[in-house]
Amino acid sequence: MTKKLSSLNVLSLCLLACSLVASAAHAADGDWKRGRVYYQKVCTECHTAKAGGPIAPNTRTMADWTKYLNTDKHAKGKEPLKMYVSREYRANIKATNKAAEKYADVPDEQLFNDVKTFMLKGAKDGDSPASCL
Amino acid sequence: MRTGIFMAAVLASMLLVSAAHAASDPDSAKLSKSTSDHTKFKALQQEFNSGPEVTKACLSCHTEASKQLHKTEHWKWEYRSPEGQLLGKKNVINNFCTSIRTNEAACNICHIGYGWKDDTFDFTSEVNVDCLVCHDTTGNYKKPAGLAGNVVTKAMEFPPGSGNIIKPIDLKKIAQAVGKTSRDTCGACHFYGGGGDGVKHGDMDSSLASPDQALDVHMDALGLNFACATCHMTEGHQVPGSRYAPTAQDKGDAHVRGKEYTSNPTTCQACHGQAPHKKIAKLNDHTDKVACQACHIPKFARGGVATKMSWDWSTGGKMGPDGKPLIKKDAKGHVIYTAAKGDFILGENVVPDYQWFNGKVGYTLFSDKVEKSDQPTRINHFEGSAGDGKSLIWPVKIMRGKQAFDPVNKRLAVVHTAGNDDTGYWTNFNWEKAVAVGMASIGAPFSGKVDFVTTESTWPITHMVAPAKDALRCHDCHASNGRLEKVPGIYIPGRASDHAGWLDTAGWALAALTLLGVLGHGLGRVIVSKRNK
């Protein structure tokens, strides 16, 4: 049953591992200040108005937030979480939301990474637990 | 083989996604504002085990920085006022945590240095200057209380035996990411003055880290996005705008490039000039008597963080039913009593007090006599009057308190509060022991008796500038019981204390006579026109 790995396999695995490490490092290095503003002015404002109240980053651990963000489910799975940082969503609310207007052209992945960086940094066990709402 | 091809395809996809991501990133095409990438400096490509090691690396390029810092109040915590009083945190007493003396290891985490735990601190040391506390951009730089401003680079239990583990910080990563100061770096200390978020100033708290326009029109994170240093324009690390050297009335002009500055860069006039109201010019007639802040900061503590308005130390030391130090909270979850500190009154959206201020502040210092019969003792007081030609009406926060003093020697008490020793008040709740250590630290006599006096301190309100639409309106002051009702020495039409019944009667009589005259004249015209027909 033992299968010998070809040199192409080994090379690919190494490169894949390097790439994943690089991606993880990138994920931790978003613009946390921009993420903070988006979290406060879009996520928190909407949660306060429509979803029963704000959720501070320091109410969850980094593992909790990572799992939540990777699962990409919002409102108990009814919709993808990433929709709320998409350019399309920002375009829809920018008339009434200054953060969506200011960051209208920021690429989706970049903004999502910014918010993620802020949430992980601000988590209960993060580098700088954040209660800011 | 097929697996290999599949993995290669996955890898290629990932690389393509990364490339696409980079290409679609508008920021990647932006011109970097800094001329240096600190990750490329060899001096910073090492593991650091202490703060001074980082400073040594910084100084290898920024050779003059520490010498500049040594001349600042941020470093010295000492300032000689023009009136001759020796001030600064090292010398004043306040009605919050009262004094840094004997509490240095806790309080001095906000000193821009490493290791100030007692009088042996070396103020001439260049490597003791803490560069990162002001230039960190990661938001991860921390100086835990109790460690005299030192940082933690290996996980440690503190206080020993408490089970509380302090996480280490990555000094290399932080040092390689240094940049300009920000609201976050300044705020790391200035938002937390007095022992907690928003406690001391009322117009500075963590809500200003990322404020909206309604909270501060200049610092609005989605608008002008001012850093503190945008106004506190710094040269050679000398930061203007200290409350120890305040400018109450600035007659200088707006700063213009190429012209020598005649105004303090931190004042409103430094940007807005002497006649800032373009649409309603009448408002400019107020600027010789009223500080801009009086109208443009209608309330303080507006960002959702409460500020302390009163602190009564005399009630400290109570234990709960479980025998542990008592803590009480209000309905909003704010702490309003602790055994360690006594009772607090907190305030949000607070309407300021208003008083004349000419820029001079007098202090009650350790060596000054205090009479219990002359209450409240003014920890500090703003000088000024309507007629001195130098004063404006300023909004202020009045902090009221009740704090320890020696009734025999009649001096405000220096209290040893923090520290895991037998004399710290927060450990043993024994006033006599705590005051004995505190007074000894300044070489002052102590009778062995402790009593309490009521005190007041005054704090200028100058941050949290609201948008123009939220500024005060005429009727806020020109009305009975308006905001300036108690400000003496000035005539303010409309307020109760300037009300003169006879003048109102005369005015209305003149108005009635005028109306009668107009009506009579009109009637005469009608009669004459009919006669002529």
Side-chain angles (χ1 to χ4, degrees):
Chain A
M1 290 298 286
T2 322
K3 209 172 179 180
K4 218 173 184 182
L5 285 173
S6 72
S7 55
L8 182 59
N9 277 342
V10 172
L11 176 67
S12 297
L13 273 172
C14 289
L15 287 172
L16 185 60
C18 292
S19 181
L20 286 171
V21 168
S23 291
H26 177 74
D29 288 335
D31 181 345
W32 66 273
K33 289 191 179 181
R34 184 162 63 190
R36 175 172 68 183
V37 173
Y38 198 80
Y39 189 89
Q40 289 177 330
K41 311 301 182 200
V42 178
C43 309
T44 298
E45 275 196 17
C46 190
H47 269 259
T48 304
K50 298 175 184 173
I55 300 169
N58 68 357
T59 56
R60 305 280 194 281
T61 63
M62 286 195 288
D64 292 339
W65 283 128
T66 303
K67 186 179 170 190
Y68 175 70
L69 294 167
N70 289 344
T71 306
D72 192 25
K73 285 181 180 172
H74 187 257
K76 294 176 183 169
K78 288 178 194 163
E79 56 209 9
L81 176 67
K82 286 185 177 174
M83 182 183 89
Y84 287 95
V85 291
S86 67
R87 269 185 278 203
E88 188 185 354
Y89 179 71
R90 280 173 267 153
N92 284 338
I93 64 168
K94 72 177 184 182
T96 55
N97 189 295
K98 279 176 69 178
E101 183 188 7
K102 182 166 181 176
Y103 304 141
D105 297 326
V106 179
D108 294 0
E109 280 301 317
Q110 197 175 333
L111 190 57
F112 185 77
N113 192 42
D114 295 341
V115 175
K116 181 179 179 179
T117 303
F118 170 65
M119 291 169 75
L120 295 184
K121 175 183 165 61
K124 192 188 287 182
D125 55 348
D127 287 328
S128 191
S131 61
C132 61
L133 303 173
Chain B
M1 184 68 185
R2 270 187 300 181
T3 314
I5 292 169
F6 171 73
M7 293 187 76
V10 169
L11 177 63
S13 306
M14 289 187 72
L15 290 173
L16 277 173
V17 167
S18 293
H21 173 77
S24 62
D25 178 355
D27 281 352
S28 63
K30 277 185 185 170
L31 183 68
S32 171
K33 287 178 182 172
S34 174
T35 54
S36 300
D37 177 350
H38 283 79
T39 63
K40 294 178 180 171
F41 288 110
K42 279 194 176 173
L44 299 179
Q45 291 169 351
Q46 58 172 307
E47 297 303 323
F48 297 103
N49 295 311
S50 72
E53 287 178 24
V54 179
T55 302
K56 193 176 174 186
C58 300
L59 292 172
S60 66
C61 291
H62 302 277
T63 58
E64 304 308 300
S66 284
K67 295 184 190 78
Q68 293 175 347
L69 263 306
H70 283 174
K71 294 176 181 169
T72 65
E73 271 87 57
H74 273 132
W75 174 258
K76 294 186 290 184
W77 280 17
E78 191 160 84
Y79 171 77
R80 176 78 66 181
S81 76
E83 292 73 38
Q85 284 192 300
L86 192 58
L87 307 174
K89 288 187 192 301
K90 204 196 272 184
N91 302 297
V92 298
I93 195 161
N94 64 41
N95 56 356
F96 295 92
C97 284
T98 66
S99 171
I100 68 164
R101 298 289 186 133
T102 69
N103 305 306
E104 286 91 346
C107 302
N108 295 8
I109 60 171
C110 274
H111 180 245
I112 55 159
Y114 297 113
W116 183 1
K117 61 179 172 37
D118 54 32
D119 287 345
T120 63
F121 181 69
D122 182 2
F123 283 92
T124 65
S125 165
E126 293 197 22
V127 294
N128 276 355
V129 170
D130 182 351
C131 309
L132 298 179
V133 73
C134 300
H135 293 287
D136 168 44
T137 65
T138 67
N140 295 336
Y141 190 67
K142 300 279 182 298
K143 298 181 36 143
L147 299 179
N150 286 308
V151 295
V152 173
T153 54
K154 287 183 181 126
M156 68 179 284
E157 185 186 38
F158 191 83
S162 67
N164 178 46
I165 304 297
I166 301 179
K167 278 176 68 174
I169 56 173
D170 186 343
L171 283 176
K172 179 181 174 184
K173 193 173 176 186
I174 292 168
Q176 289 186 348
V178 289
K180 287 183 177 178
T181 61
S182 65
R183 294 191 300 270
D184 286 285
T185 54
C186 301
C189 283
H190 291 279
F191 293 162
Y192 296 89
D197 194 1
V199 166
K200 186 186 279 183
H201 297 283
D203 64 343
M204 275 192 283
D205 58 49
S206 64
S207 65
L208 288 177
S210 181
D212 60 15
Q213 190 189 41
L215 179 58
D216 193 294
V217 72
H218 300 112
M219 292 193 254
D220 174 13
L222 291 166
L224 294 171
N225 201 22
F226 277 23
C228 305
T230 310
C231 296
H232 294 268
M233 274 172 54
T234 301
E235 281 186 333
H237 284 104
Q238 312 301 305
V239 184
S242 164
R243 69 182 171 86
Y244 287 115
T247 301
Q249 184 176 35
D250 196 339
K251 293 181 177 173
D253 294 320
H255 290 191
V256 177
R257 275 176 287 182
K259 278 191 173 181
E260 193 176 339
Y261 297 164
T262 55
S263 54
N264 179 333
T266 63
T267 64
C268 307
Q269 288 79 3
C271 287
H272 296 282
Q274 297 293 336
H277 304 98
K278 308 299 178 200
K279 289 181 184 168
I280 309 173
K282 179 64 187 167
L283 293 174
N284 292 330
D285 294 343
H286 292 69
T287 58
D288 63 335
K289 296 293 179 191
V290 183
C292 306
Q293 291 88 337
C295 298
H296 290 277
I297 309 176
K299 292 178 181 176
F300 59 86
R302 298 202 310 272
V305 178
T307 187
K308 279 195 172 70
M309 299 301 295
S310 170
W311 184 329
D312 183 355
W313 281 95
S314 72
T315 59
K318 294 176 189 168
M319 297 294 130
D322 56 359
K324 292 180 180 172
L326 184 63
I327 295 176
K328 290 183 196 169
K329 293 183 179 178
D330 66 12
K332 287 184 176 177
H334 298 137
V335 174
I336 54 171
Y337 177 85
T338 71
K341 298 180 178 179
D343 281 294
F344 311 127
I345 295 174
L346 304 172
E348 281 186 74
N349 298 305
V350 183
V351 173
D353 283 73
Y354 298 89
Q355 57 184 246
W356 291 105
F357 181 38
N358 62 13
K360 291 182 182 174
V361 186
Y363 288 80
T364 300
L365 299 174
F366 299 135
S367 53
D368 295 324
K369 292 276 182 189
V370 170
E371 295 291 344
K372 196 168 183 181
S373 57
D374 183 21
Q375 302 280 296
T377 295
R378 294 188 301 174
I379 293 286
N380 72 348
H381 65 277
F382 284 13
E383 296 181 7
S385 65
D388 67 6
K390 298 173 184 172
S391 297
L392 295 179
I393 298 169
W394 268 77
V396 297
K397 169 186 169 179
I398 304 290
M399 173 67 185
R400 295 179 170 86
K402 204 168 184 184
Q403 65 194 90
F405 94 120
D406 179 339
V408 177
N409 292 302
K410 298 184 176 179
R411 289 180 185 219
L412 290 171
V414 174
V415 186
H416 176 46
T417 50
N420 285 320
D421 53 60
D422 182 48
T423 57
Y425 182 75
W426 291 345
T427 307
N428 64 18
F429 305 104
N430 183 313
W431 281 110
E432 285 73 21
K433 279 187 180 179
V435 174
V437 171
M439 298 307 262
S441 74
I442 58 166
F446 175 49
S447 68
K449 292 181 179 172
V450 177
D451 196 357
F452 295 87
V453 282
T454 57
T455 55
E456 279 186 7
S457 61
T458 307
W459 303 86
I461 296 299
T462 192
H463 305 97
M464 295 189 179
V465 177
K469 69 179 177 58
D470 296 331
L472 296 189
R473 302 294 164 197
C474 306
H475 60 77
D476 287 307
C477 300
H478 293 282
S480 291
N481 297 316
R483 294 203 179 201
L484 304 185
E485 189 65 58
K486 293 175 184 168
V487 176
I490 185 170
Y491 174 68
I492 300 177
R495 71 173 177 173
S497 52
D498 288 319
H499 186 73
W502 65 268
L503 189 60
D504 286 353
T505 306
W508 282 115
L510 284 171
L513 284 172
T514 305
L515 182 62
L516 279 174
V518 170
L519 290 173
H521 181 77
L523 186 62
R525 289 273 188 185
V526 171
I527 292 167
V528 170
S529 72
K530 282 192 175 174
R531 274 188 187 168
N532 289 346
K533 276 183 182 173

